[in-house]
Amino acid sequence: MSPPVIELHLTVNGESRTFLTQINRSLFDVLRAEGYVDVKNGCLNGDCGSCAVLLNGRPVLGCLVMAPHCEGGEVVTAAGLGRPGDLHPLQEAFLDTGAVQCGFCTPGMLIVAKHLIDTNPDPSEEEIAAALAGNLCRCTGYVKIIDGVKEAARRMRASKARSKARGRRRS
Amino acid sequence: MLEKLEEYHIPQTIAEAVRLLRRRSGGETVAITGAIDLHWWRLQSARRFVDTSRLGLDRIRLDRSGLHLGAATLLADIVTSKVAARFAGGLLVQGALGLASPPRRHTTSLAALLINAVPVVDILPALMALDAKVRVKGARQRTIPLTELFAGKGRTVLDRELLLEVVVPKPRGRIGVALERHALTPSDDPMLTAVATVQLSRGKIARATIALGGGLSVPVRCPKAEAELVGKAPDLGIFACAAHGVAESIHPISDTRCSAEHRRDVCKVIVRRALARAAGREEPR
Ligand SMILES: Cc1cc2nc3c(=O)[nH]c(=O)nc-3n(C[C@H](O)[C@H](O)[C@H](O)COP(=O)(O)OP(=O)(O)OC[C@H]3O[C@@H](n4cnc5c(N)ncnc54)[C@H](O)[C@@H]3O)c2cc1C
Ligand code: FES
Ligand code: FES
């Protein structure tokens, strides 16, 4: 008997979706099969971090999480962080600092960095390096990726301060 | 992968999870926490998964008996727990950080580390040094000291039982703790990790515990060396002597990182350092 097929209900990048999947599939398998090609396969072993997505706000490795476990969950992939013309500050800063070379590791880096900045808006270089310890990059040597995360965090803090000041002026 | 899997259950109660785990008919049933260790033979042959992530077993709480860590607690939640940070000098937080990759910490549960008996995550020797016990439920509920849980490489003494929680007794009186990890890089598996706790009374060692993890087949405590320390003055010579004794008694592995012989040498240094730090006698480096 081959593993049975179930319906899987997920919100992916803000959109409610129902997928059909065999119960032995990983979240990565489902997302790739459905065309979320920004979720990358670097190893399918939990070693490289390139399949990272946010599941209910947590950065997880899509290749190690069982699909049925995610039922009812909210998934954000790197493409869900922003869109062309309206990029997320992390995506923008990665472009500006040259943090992207071949780009294969970039989606996973962005997801883990997003969780870091959400929980720690002003991370030090050491904290950024520690957060990215599970994400491998074969191109950049990491320096520019760390610069990119730092720059994004700075821009996000500045933009938050600006909107706070505007709010104060209005009231 | 997992080609034999026929059922995936997400029970909402512990009773239902235990009932599923104890079912004998229709092939092998295993508990998982939703994430999986793909290489693990136990999971590859499974016919039925019981996902334990929605049983409310993911809480961290402190009461009079000590710190309770639910079996499905993720390492990431131990790292950010204020309760865990205040308990026993934050030793368990330091242990959880031994698994360096944050997305892996968000997918790895305490139950899984214990059931797989993986010595390379520092939290296992940390729990062992703090006299942790596990509460499990099968036909009946029982409590097993961590020192009796592991039956050999990758094996435990559990028999179709659900791991409910880890209980770490509150240390009686003041306790010094230290974790010393020796690894090629901060994010690599340790070649060896030593954890020590020391309690002093009137200038003498009243109680000491030593646990080792890393390049061993299972994490271990070192009762002989611990007993020999009691009643002695906490000086560096005594600690060096204890560390030699520990190095003689362990059975380290040889692997790509280093040889068993090298691990024994590392043991002499890191056990001495851990004991010295736990006793507040930091040695010059
Ligand atoms: C890339 C990579 C790096 C790794 N690095 C490390 C490392 O640095 N250190 C380290 O120690 N390990 C490491 N591991 C191994 C890691 O420990 C395992 O992947 C992990 O234990 C699996 O956790 P899980 O939560 O996914 O467990 P699961 O796969 O859900 O469960 C593992 C085992 O525990 C059992 N189980 C789960 N919950 C219960 C319960 N409540 N009651 C009874 N039994 C239960 C399951 O049946 C299964 O046998 C690594 C693995 C990978 C893939
Ligand atoms: S593909 Fe998942 S960690 Fe490499
Ligand atoms: S940019 Fe190529 S792997 Fe990171």
Side-chain angles (χ1 to χ4, degrees):
Chain A
M1 174 178 165
S2 65
V5 173
I6 54 161
E7 267 192 7
L8 180 68
H9 307 90
L10 295 178
T11 304
V12 186
N13 297 337
E15 204 186 338
S16 283
R17 302 284 313 265
T18 301
F19 306 117
L20 289 179
T21 177
Q22 278 186 300
I23 59 167
N24 64 336
R25 298 295 158 194
S26 67
L27 176 60
F28 168 85
D29 292 334
V30 173
L31 293 172
R32 284 296 294 195
E34 295 294 332
Y36 295 94
V37 290
D38 53 318
V39 186
K40 301 290 181 206
N41 162 9
C43 67
L44 298 188
N45 259 345
D47 282 320
C48 72
S50 61
C51 64
V53 297
L54 294 173
L55 174 64
N56 302 323
R58 289 177 181 275
V60 301
L61 299 172
C63 70
L64 293 189
V65 178
M66 292 298 289
H69 170 75
C70 307
E71 172 58 30
E74 198 167 312
V75 175
V76 178
T77 72
L81 297 179
R83 49 196 80 253
D86 182 21
L87 292 181
H88 186 278
L90 267 164
Q91 293 167 318
E92 230 157 32
F94 266 47
L95 289 174
D96 296 345
T97 56
V100 182
Q101 284 188 30
C102 82
F104 198 87
C105 68
T106 311
M109 294 282 182
L110 288 171
I111 288 294
V112 174
K114 162 88 167 60
H115 182 262
L116 171 69
I117 295 183
D118 286 349
T119 48
N120 176 3
D122 189 7
S124 66
E125 279 180 23
E126 288 73 25
E127 287 168 327
I128 298 170
L132 297 176
N135 291 73
L136 302 183
C137 175
R138 300 301 300 268
C139 308
T140 64
Y142 302 99
V143 173
K144 291 185 175 180
I145 293 178
I146 293 173
D147 289 349
V149 178
K150 225 172 148 192
E151 176 58 17
R154 190 192 65 72
R155 290 180 190 177
M156 286 164 77
R157 288 196 307 277
S159 133
K160 207 167 160 195
R162 272 197 305 276
S163 47
K164 221 168 161 185
R166 264 202 304 276
R168 267 203 304 273
R169 270 203 302 276
R170 241 182 257 133
S171 58
Chain B
M1 80 175 197
L2 306 170
E3 291 303 329
K4 296 187 180 143
L5 199 65
E6 291 170 8
E7 297 170 32
Y8 191 106
H9 297 272
I10 310 182
Q12 305 293 317
T13 65
I14 289 171
E16 192 190 347
V18 171
R19 188 183 55 75
L20 285 163
L21 275 177
R22 295 190 54 74
R23 220 158 86 184
R24 279 196 190 273
S25 58
E28 198 190 350
T29 306
V30 293
I32 65 157
T33 45
I36 49 157
D37 185 345
L38 296 169
H39 306 295
W40 204 246
W41 56 270
R42 225 182 324 215
L43 298 186
Q44 291 295 349
S45 61
R47 291 283 165 97
R48 206 178 287 127
F49 272 178
V50 179
D51 186 326
T52 61
S53 63
R54 300 189 197 184
L55 299 175
L57 293 178
D58 55 355
R59 306 206 178 108
I60 302 176
R61 68 185 169 87
L62 187 67
D63 68 12
R64 255 188 288 166
S65 61
L67 185 69
H68 298 252
L69 302 158
T73 303
L74 298 171
L75 291 192
D77 292 338
I78 297 176
V79 167
T80 54
S81 161
K82 291 202 173 82
V83 177
R86 280 195 298 265
F87 189 85
L91 187 62
L92 297 176
V93 172
Q94 202 187 340
L97 283 167
L99 186 55
S101 152
R104 278 216 51 77
R105 288 201 296 265
H106 280 275
T107 24
T108 297
S109 64
L110 206 46
L113 293 176
L114 290 164
I115 300 297
N116 282 347
V118 205
V120 296
V121 172
D122 297 338
I123 195 161
L124 292 200
L127 285 167
M128 217 175 225
L130 292 173
D131 304 311
K133 304 178 177 84
V134 293
R135 211 155 58 78
V136 306
K137 192 166 166 55
R140 59 187 180 85
Q141 197 162 299
R142 59 179 179 140
T143 301
I144 310 167
L146 218 56
T147 44
E148 293 167 24
L149 178 69
F150 306 120
K153 190 173 176 348
R155 287 185 301 117
T156 67
V157 297
L158 301 196
D159 175 25
R160 292 178 301 134
E161 288 164 297
L162 180 70
L163 194 61
L164 300 176
E165 65 170 0
V166 181
V167 187
V168 194
K170 226 185 221 170
R172 279 198 225 120
R174 267 177 66 89
I175 184 173
V177 299
L179 186 154
E180 287 280 336
R181 137 189 256 272
H182 187 68
L184 290 170
T185 69
S187 59
D188 194 24
D189 286 353
M191 292 178 218
L192 207 66
T193 293
V195 182
T197 77
V198 174
Q199 284 177 286
L200 300 174
S201 171
R202 296 202 187 95
K204 296 268 161 42
I205 299 168
R207 184 165 192 266
T209 67
I210 305 165
L212 292 176
L216 306 165
S217 47
V218 290
V220 293
R221 271 278 288 263
C222 311
K224 188 160 174 277
E226 291 172 6
E228 282 170 5
L229 284 167
V230 175
K232 306 252 165 64
D235 71 58
L236 297 180
I238 295 290
F239 294 145
C241 207
H244 262 80
V246 171
E248 299 295 303
S249 71
I250 58 169
H251 305 283
I253 58 168
S254 285
D255 65 6
T256 46
R257 289 188 176 83
C258 66
S259 65
E261 206 180 357
H262 181 66
R263 283 193 166 93
R264 258 187 236 286
D265 286 341
V266 167
C267 178
K268 291 175 195 161
V269 178
I270 66 173
V271 169
R272 188 189 72 220
R273 282 185 186 161
L275 283 166
R277 241 178 357 105
R281 303 280 191 282
E282 197 107 13
E283 48 182 25
R285 292 210 177 177

